[in-house]
Amino acid sequence: MGNLNLDDSVMTTRLDSVVNWARKNSLWPLPFGTACCAIEFMSMMASRYDFSRFGAEALRFSPRQSDMLLVLGTITNKQAPVLRQIYAQMAEPKWVVAVGVCASSGGMYRTYATLQGIDRVVPVDVYVPGCPPRPETMIYGVMELQKKITRETLMARKEHIERFYESLARQEERQRAQGLSSHQAVREMVLEAGAAGGQQIW
Amino acid sequence: MLTERIDAQLPGAVLDRHAFRGDETVVVAADRFLEVVDFIFAEGFQLLVDVTAVDLEAREPRFDVVYHFLNLVSQARLRIKLPMAEGAAAPSLVSRFKSADWAEREVYDLFGIPFAGHPCLTRLLMWEDFPGHPLRKDFPLDGGDPFCSQDIGASYAPEARTLNP
Amino acid sequence: MSPSTPQPLSPFIPIMLLFLIAVGVAAAILVVSGKILPGLLKPANPKAAKLTPYECGAPPLQEGARHRYSVKFYLVAMLFILFDVEAAFLLPWAVQYRAHLWTFWAMASFLATLLVGYVYAWGKGALDWER
């Protein structure tokens, strides 16, 4: 009979690779557009730059039906707990891309009203700098996210997201204990983390 | 001139006036303010363009509440300033001008000047339990966030952030 | 057409078998791809915060979607059921109302009973949508 050579017809792989391949090629974005970066996002979705080649044509404005949160624009301190709630309501697996300098670090707004980077309140995977970034830059950012997804294990993503839910529990505990609104509780957590050197609250 | 007519109709209401290139400004005492507003409303100044305030730290009284009116017929503009001490309540114009509603809420939020007679005087831009009033001169630009004030270059020295060093 | 000699069942058995196999394969595909594979692969991590109702990130304005509504909706539904059942009884009667002389009057008495109820509902204002 000879040797049964299956090399051409059977491919072996790890579960992580298969699942990550499926996930990275079907990232459905939730455009959390608050400012000018959202306009560049619109142009990225349009035909010239065509974001749908990356499997991302299905834009879902609901957190339950999307898996990539694109934060496009300035996030104020009043908006920060809203962003946390939206991220909490997304189904797993989920990734966050901070698009533009306002989302990455507060941008040109170093004031009392602007959150100095969304990584202070939600876990961010990729930062795309620019004011606003060109559509090619944003596409490059999503491609970097795809490379990151290829590298990570399923368990690591789970644990990464778990840390956020612990910080959400701490925030709710603080609200209950001191009778604060969500804005004030998040603001206090951000200020305490800032006093320690700009760290995250998640 | 409009200010002469106000003087003639309501003597003693106008504390000060100045004009610059056709823009008239009058400074009115807070207790005569509503009469002045009713008078200029009858004169045709029926659009309240904006309500804002100025915090002059060193001066007594501390705040100047500034009103801008527009005469839709003659296209003349008038600015009225109300000197208010800290804690004093300004009279609310909500019953006369709908545009005063949110403008007065904004002044209350950012300066802490209450308006007597406003139907719903709550914060507008910041959240309800925000501590402090951001546009006062003694409120730090970074809101007390040390991360904001980390030195990122010589041109952003902390002293450069205040107008009155 | 009068019933003729009974047809043999045997030529239809393969078709029935094909139908059952098709349904079975479809069901198997659905179960495997909908229940078994996701059961193995999906990240099942229910959290209280994740299950809160979506209100654009803001805290919910009220608890749940249960609030009071006007009784007129209930009245319309109930009256509809009653008169719809009456119409349902009319349909088989209409096919053979000529069978006997008294068939017409039997249905007429039934309708008269319901007519009394209709006039009562009308008079009481149950048909007024806006009060």
Side-chain angles (χ1 to χ4, degrees), chain C residues 107-128:
Chain C
M107 182 48 87
S109 72
F110 174 64
L111 286 180
T113 316
L114 284 169
L115 187 69
V116 172
Y118 177 64
V119 171
Y120 175 75
W122 188 349
K124 271 287 188 183
L127 299 177
D128 289 334

Side-chain angles (χ1 to χ4, degrees), chain A residues 181-197:
Chain A
S181 67
S182 57
H183 314 283
Q184 193 57 19
V186 169
R187 178 69 172 154
E188 284 189 3
M189 289 169 78
V190 163
L191 289 179
E192 282 168 18

Side-chain angles (χ1 to χ4, degrees), chain B residues 18-164:
Chain B
H18 48 270
F20 177 69
R21 291 194 174 189
D23 275 350
E24 291 187 23
T25 305
V26 289
V27 181
V28 174
D31 49 345
R32 307 292 300 272
F33 176 58
L34 288 176
E35 304 167 23
V36 174
V37 167
D38 288 333
F39 176 71
I40 60 172
F41 190 92
E43 288 273 325
F45 286 84
Q46 301 185 347
L47 182 67
L48 175 64
V49 177
D50 193 18
V51 181
T52 180
V54 183
D55 178 9
L56 304 144
E57 276 185 293
R59 199 190 76 171
E60 184 58 45
R62 180 177 178 177
F63 298 107
D64 255 350
V65 183
V66 184
Y67 296 80
H68 289 87
F69 292 91
L70 171 63
N71 188 327
L72 289 166
V73 172
S74 69
Q75 284 145 34
R77 291 179 186 266
L78 178 68
R79 181 182 302 119
I80 299 186
K81 290 195 180 187
L82 235 63
M84 311 248 34
E86 170 147 15
S92 170
L93 292 183
V94 171
S95 50
R96 294 163 175 78
F97 301 95
K98 288 259 190 303
S99 62
D101 190 353
W102 277 21
E104 287 174 0
R105 278 179 69 184
E106 183 188 3
V107 171
Y108 168 68
D109 185 5
L110 299 175
F111 288 93
I113 300 171
F115 285 83
H118 194 282
C120 177
L121 195 68
T122 51
R123 286 181 177 267
L124 190 71
L125 299 170
M126 305 310 288
W127 56 89
E128 285 87 27
D129 43 347
F130 182 79
H133 298 279
L135 285 186
R136 292 190 171 196
K137 289 288 188 290
D138 49 4
F139 189 88
L141 181 61
D142 53 23
D145 185 356
F147 182 67
C148 252
S149 10
Q150 276 168 19
D151 195 8
I152 55 173
S155 58
Y156 286 87
E159 311 83 56
R161 290 189 176 197
T162 164
L163 289 177
N164 307 313

Side-chain angles (χ1 to χ4, degrees), chain C residues 54-107:
Chain C
Y54 172 62
E55 279 199 37
C56 298
L61 290 169
Q62 61 177 51
E63 262 308 305
R66 287 173 266 269
H67 35 247
R68 301 176 71 175
Y69 55 92
S70 173
V71 74
K72 61 192 182 189
F73 296 103
Y74 166 76
L75 281 176
V76 166
M78 191 180 63
L79 290 173
F80 165 75
I81 287 291
L82 287 170
F83 292 102
D84 197 48
V85 168
E86 174 190 352
F89 281 130
L90 272 173
L91 284 174
W93 169 84
V95 175
Q96 34 90 42
Y97 76 98
R98 283 180 195 276
H100 295 282
L101 199 58
W102 50 267
T103 317
F104 175 79
W105 295 108
M107 182 48 87

